[in-house]
Amino acid sequence: MARPRKPLLSRDRIVEAASALVDSEGLDAVSTRRLAAELGVSGPSLYNHFRNKDEILDAVADAVSAQVDLSMFEEPDARDWRAALHDWAVSYRAALAEHPHIVPVLAQGPGRRPAGLRVADAVFGAMVRAGWPPAQATYIGALMRYFITGSALGSFARGFVDDETAYDPADYPHLGQAHLLADRRQKVDEGAFETGLRALVDGLSLQYEQLEPGQLPPAGTVRPAPRRS
């Protein structure tokens, strides 16, 4: 009986294998030699699809960007820009939380990555349609990327040890409960993200109310937020 053929090597197979390595062992685990061994192929065969390790990591990062929900910026979605920005940020952070080791690559910006550029285009376009001047829309996109990727780079709660003796009240009079934070990591980190996100969106809303009325466009894909009287 003929031996079953191995699946043909493809970009998707390489990205899938690289993503699994990054998720389980981190960025340093990825090399063309290691990937070739994981895929059961010769090392040079990878160069038919990618020029080097950096291109592979770019593709892994872009695959994560492709998981981010952008539907809130599209027709016929009825959310105003504030709700759309909030919901997009939640989706973006959720994607990063699933793949935390790739965040340093994503934090560098989209570069030439198609999915990453689609994310940037969707956010910028939505903010401009809502009435933000292009320069401010650019700042908002940058601000949100700083906040979201920063929140995914590490855990505040995990930075505290669970040893109560590490927080002598004589030295740290306000850290009497700090040893409990590590066990409540998810709740603390998610609560901090939501608190910060709402503060950002609320602050942007105050700036938005100061825009000249003539800057607001007709009703479009992402509607302007209601103005206070």
Side-chain angles (χ1 to χ4, degrees), residues 86-173:
H86 174 278
D87 295 348
W88 163 74
V90 170
S91 173
Y92 196 175
R93 183 179 182 274
L96 299 188
E98 291 292 320
H99 309 280
H101 292 152
I102 199 64
V103 174
V105 180
L106 279 163
Q108 297 171 9
R112 297 177 180 271
R113 304 174 201 140
L117 289 171
R118 282 192 290 272
V119 171
D121 180 75
V123 176
F124 177 80
M127 296 304 100
V128 170
R129 288 194 303 275
W132 286 99
Q136 289 296 116
T138 300
Y139 302 155
I140 291 170
L143 167 67
M144 298 305 292
R145 181 162 65 83
Y146 298 155
F147 175 66
I148 297 166
T149 57
S151 74
L153 280 172
S155 165
F156 174 83
R158 191 180 289 166
F160 293 86
V161 299
D162 61 1
D163 179 3
E164 187 173 3
T165 64
Y167 308 104
D168 188 330
D171 296 321
Y172 316 108

Side-chain angles (χ1 to χ4, degrees), residues 170-191:
D171 296 321
Y172 316 108
H174 306 296
L175 297 182
Q177 301 296 307
H179 64 286
L180 302 176
L181 290 175
D183 286 339
R184 301 173 183 176
R185 180 183 63 83
Q186 184 174 356
K187 181 178 181 180
V188 171
D189 291 345
E190 290 182 355

Side-chain angles (χ1 to χ4, degrees), residues 16-34:
E16 183 179 353
S19 181
L21 272 179
V22 172
D23 286 346
S24 62
E25 300 182 37
L27 293 173
D28 291 341
V30 179
S31 68
T32 53
R33 178 179 296 181
R34 176 75 181 275

